Amino acid sequence: MANLREISVSAALNLLSAFAFLVAFAILRLQPINDRVYFPKWYRRRIRNSPRRSGVCLTGFVNLDWRTYIKFLNWMPAALRMPELELIDHAGLDSVVYIRIYLLGLKVIGPLAVLAFLVLVPVNWTGETLEGVKNLAYNDIDKLSISNVPDGSKRFWVHIVMSYVFALWTFYVLYVEYKEVAAMRLRYLASENRRPDQFTVLVRNVPPDPDETVSEHIEHFFRVNHPDSYLTHQVVYNANKLAKLVQKKKSLQNWYTYYLNKYERTSKRPTTRTGFGGVVGTKVDAIDYYSSEIQKLSEAEALGREKVLSDPKAIVQAAFVSFKSRWAAAVCAQTQLSHNPTIWLTEWAPEPRDVYWRNLAIPYFDLTIRRLLMAIALFFLIFFFMIPIAFVQSLANIEGIEKVFPFLTPLIETKSVRSFIQGFLPGIVLKIFLILLPTILMMMSKVEGFSSRSSLDRRSAGKYHLFLLVNVFLGSIITGTAFQQLKTFLHQPPTEIPKTVGESIPMKATFFITYTMVDGWAGIAAEILRLVPLVIFHLKNMFLVKTEQDREEAMDPGCLNFATYEPKIQFYFLLGLVYSAVTPVLLPFVIIFFAFSYVVFRHQVINVYDQRYESGGSFWPDVHRRLLIGLLISQFLLMGLLSTKNIEKSTIALLPLPILTIWFHVYCKGRFQSAFVRFSLQDAMTKDTLERATEPNLNLRAYLKDAYVHPVFKGRRHFDSPLLVPDEENNTLVLTRRSS
């Protein structure tokens, strides 16, 4: 167990490392050669065309102006300077709402820390219980925790009262934030420009018809049931294999352009080899070789395209159906189309950039089975992952290392080494175990078959949050205690075991302090330094970049990884809420994480990230719900802890808290969630009326023609929808080939 000195050593090392990576970031970002890595967003928008140069520069690679290095923290006020409305226009509402999660952490945890240090820390410190217990290992941090208050003391009523104060303050901040984000979303939807998804609905599980094709059946159904508003539709094709072929052809075209440019510069015919990577096989003329390969792939692509278009089995029982107005699309997306609730299922179409085309080919019936299998797989993943984490964490301390490697005991017992190990090792071990987890969870979400990238991110974030909650938090408390105190358990009467487990909650505060410092600083450093993208960019620039398009792709600005980042934020919320009434000394570390992350991610959103899609902040209800789950856990853990302290009626006194929290969740859900899942008919009609007044000659059919065509079919004449003549539009009878 780390003591105050060891925690101080760890904190000092983290502060030094933080200063070091800030200096490193300042040096790296000022070099002209790295400009495309640290400011790719401006390059993609064609606003930044040349490397930044201040004063004297050595060619275009190194910045030698020493004055720019003195002001190495100037990027912080610059990141905070852009107003929120301008930031929404610049980066989108999703990015702004995500950044507000860090700001929410400061609003919630900051006042909790002030109250806890003013009220609870003096109550705990003056308890003087640990000093009177013989043969008990404790440290100065434990004196600041609830463990230092004697059993049965009336001091615990201060903790009970403060838990109500903490909960009410959290309710207030969450309510205000939910209200503000909902208002921001409504303003954004009301003010945003015309987009294809405003007029389009995704229809799934289209029932088969023996007399009509899927396309004819869809058109017939909507012209009958939405005669005044139906405009056009686009059936979904299973073009996954064709997409791989198109991607391969694109890669070959890039090589062809590279060798053609090389030939124009040198007037010498370039050569390559036909084997793997162009380094093995027969040597041939590069231009002729890639030209012939592209021709072969073009022919294969044309055949594959015709095969997909002519094969009825390639048509999926789904379609994107577009309407003449937003109002009509809202009616269709939010109503039941058939008396059978399992067919003609409708939902708002994702933004075209947001569509995950690969999963649209999955039959609707398979989705339920896939999600059941992935739920079972997630259970076993969480369960079996807990075993190695618990075992390794039992070794990731001084006692565990000395048992496994007894010859290292003299070195480990040295004060400096001991402080370093206790301050860093547990957090580093846990960090290593979690490196590949987000990728695994995203793969599981893709198998589940969600049709949009935003849905995949939200689903994967939910899995990661559950994993962190069960394995990292509860696993560190329960399984870590079980391994370290197994002998104590075996020699205790059963009635004493809950008390031992309850006491482990404040005892684990030192571990979570080190985890917060290691994981938090490591994440922020990796985020702002962008060392991996930096190395990859320069390697690609030296060996793989052949054309200007290659250089654009090598920049790879990335995007906000909501599926990974948001669950980690929730974990820090959980630590702050749980330990605010138990061991408040942890709260300053959480506050530092939120404050620095807020500045860093604001900088990244302004200068780096290029979002893959825009959902209008639709993920906020998930953020709100998971935060309340953390609050509930903190309340139940406090109830369990106080039940071991011989406090009469403590459980009865705290029981209203979780009930109040659940009621608050239900109220906020009913009050605000509709703004994130529905679009009001009133707002839709307002936008339609305004558009008709300002653009009376708008050709909506032409605007929507290629919006939801699979990328491999973009611009193809196969998808030119026939124009309806006036007589056909006004005809109440709909032609059909159905014989029944």
Side-chain angles (χ1 to χ4, degrees), residues 110-282:
L112 263 59
V114 174
L115 290 174
F117 274 87
L118 289 178
V119 179
L120 294 182
V121 168
V123 171
N124 296 336
W125 180 264
T126 56
E128 299 180 352
T129 297
L130 298 176
E131 296 177 353
V133 180
K134 297 181 179 180
N135 301 324
L136 177 65
Y138 67 93
N139 55 46
D140 292 334
I141 291 179
D142 294 326
K143 293 181 181 180
L144 302 176
S145 73
I146 199 172
S147 300
N148 201 33
V149 180
D151 290 357
S153 173
K154 293 184 178 180
R155 291 169 178 256
F156 287 115
W157 287 100
V158 178
H159 297 81
I160 294 173
V161 172
M162 291 305 296
S163 66
Y164 274 91
V165 174
F166 294 164
L168 292 176
W169 172 253
T170 305
F171 292 161
Y172 170 75
V173 175
L174 286 180
Y175 177 84
V176 172
E177 195 70 17
Y178 209 154
K179 183 178 180 180
E180 178 61 25
V181 173
M184 289 171 62
R185 175 177 169 83
L186 293 176
R187 287 195 301 267
Y188 176 80
L189 294 176
S191 62
E192 72 172 333
N193 297 327
R194 181 173 55 251
R195 293 195 328 192
D197 53 292
Q198 297 171 347
F199 301 88
T200 308
V201 171
L202 175 60
V203 182
R204 308 193 72 166
N205 209 25
V206 177
D209 188 278
D211 301 313
E212 294 182 327
T213 64
V214 174
S215 181
E216 291 170 340
H217 190 29
I218 292 171
E219 182 176 6
H220 173 255
F221 179 86
F222 281 96
R223 288 190 60 199
V224 168
N225 295 284
H226 294 267
D228 299 325
S229 56
Y230 167 74
L231 180 63
T232 185
H233 72 277
Q234 174 57 59
V235 295
V236 177
Y237 290 87
N238 184 354
N240 293 338
K241 293 182 179 179
L242 182 59
K244 294 180 181 178
L245 197 65
V246 172
Q247 186 62 33
K248 184 178 179 180
K249 178 184 172 182
K250 179 181 177 182
S251 176
L252 293 181
Q253 286 175 331
N254 216 20
W255 279 105
Y256 176 77
T257 304
Y258 165 70
Y259 284 115
L260 196 61
N261 292 340
K262 185 176 181 180
Y263 173 65
E264 292 176 353
R265 290 195 309 267
T266 63
S267 299
K268 182 180 179 181
R269 300 287 292 188
T271 60
T272 186
R273 295 185 181 272
T274 58
F276 177 78
V279 295
V280 295
T282 307

Side-chain angles (χ1 to χ4, degrees), residues 75 145 200 238 254 266 270 317 337 358 404 423-424 577 609 658 708:
W75 63 271
S145 73
T200 308
N238 184 354
N254 216 20
T266 63
Q317 303 298 108
L337 298 190
R358 182 181 296 273
V404 178
F424 272 93
L577 293 171
Y609 289 140
Y708 286 98

Side-chain angles (χ1 to χ4, degrees), residues 19 21 83 113 144 196 226 229 239 245 300 422 446 457 518 630 639 673:
F19 181 78
F21 77 70
L144 302 176
H226 294 267
S229 56
L245 197 65
Q422 289 287 66
K446 290 180 179 179
D457 282 344
V518 172
M639 290 171 61
Q673 189 168 346

Side-chain angles (χ1 to χ4, degrees), residues 8-24:
S8 300
V9 171
S10 179
L13 290 174
N14 274 277
L15 288 175
L16 289 175
S17 63
F19 181 78
F21 77 70
L22 285 176
V23 173

